[in-house]
Amino acid sequence: QMQMLESGGGLVQAGESLRLSCAASGRIFRGYATAWFRQTPGKEREFVVVSSGSGASTYYSDSVKGRFTLSRDNAKNTMYLQMNSMKPEDTAVYYCAAGPESSRFSGIVYTRDADYNYWGPGTQVTVSS
């Protein structure tokens, strides 16, 4: 079984930056779509960004385009979410996820939480105004 673990959450002020990490217990990237989601109490889990197994394709939600960046260190089986110009509405529990990708990857197809079968427990991010 694959295990994933997020880290790096915390409290920041609006306009500041934060970087989250997600470590996987196996070689998760090749053949897997990897993604970040977030969730606020009382709301459904929200898609943030997804990357193809090769890393050649990345798709961001409109709410984070231009502010957030997904990157990977394949040798460490770790991916990152760099969050800049943070806003109070970015406050949420952030989750990393992975799921087998099809032979033809299309990022827009992998925006549902049901597309992923491996999840970390989440890390809290709070942005003060």
Side-chain angles (χ1 to χ4, degrees):
Q1 57 181 351
M2 184 69 66
Q3 297 181 5
M4 306 181 74
L5 180 62
E6 306 91 342
S7 63
L11 174 65
V12 298
Q13 297 183 55
E16 295 184 340
S17 299
L18 195 66
R19 189 174 83 156
L20 305 181
S21 299
C22 173
S25 62
R27 297 176 179 177
I28 195 71
F29 297 116
R30 178 166 292 181
Y32 290 86
T34 52
W36 289 92
F37 286 77
R38 64 188 183 184
Q39 187 170 28
T40 300
K43 299 176 63 177
E44 65 182 9
R45 194 164 295 183
E46 176 189 9
F47 167 80
V48 177
V49 59
V50 60
S51 176
S52 65
S54 68
S57 299
T58 307
Y59 177 78
Y60 295 87
S61 70
D62 290 339
S63 63
V64 306
K65 284 181 180 177
R67 299 190 299 118
F68 290 10
T69 303
L70 185 153
S71 62
R72 309 190 315 195
D73 185 335
N74 292 349
K76 296 182 178 180
N77 293 318
T78 301
M79 68 173 181
Y80 307 92
L81 184 66
Q82 178 67 45
M83 304 182 290
N84 297 328
S85 301
M86 299 195 72
K87 305 174 181 179
E89 49 264 46
D90 293 323
T91 295
V93 176
Y94 283 71
Y95 300 89
C96 62
E101 65 179 355
S102 65
S103 58
R104 185 185 67 184
F105 177 82
S106 178
I108 194 171
V109 175
Y110 288 84
T111 59
R112 304 179 307 158
D113 54 9
D115 294 324
Y116 301 88
N117 54 349
Y118 300 115
W119 293 85
T123 185
Q124 176 70 48
V125 173
T126 302
V127 185
S128 62
S129 60

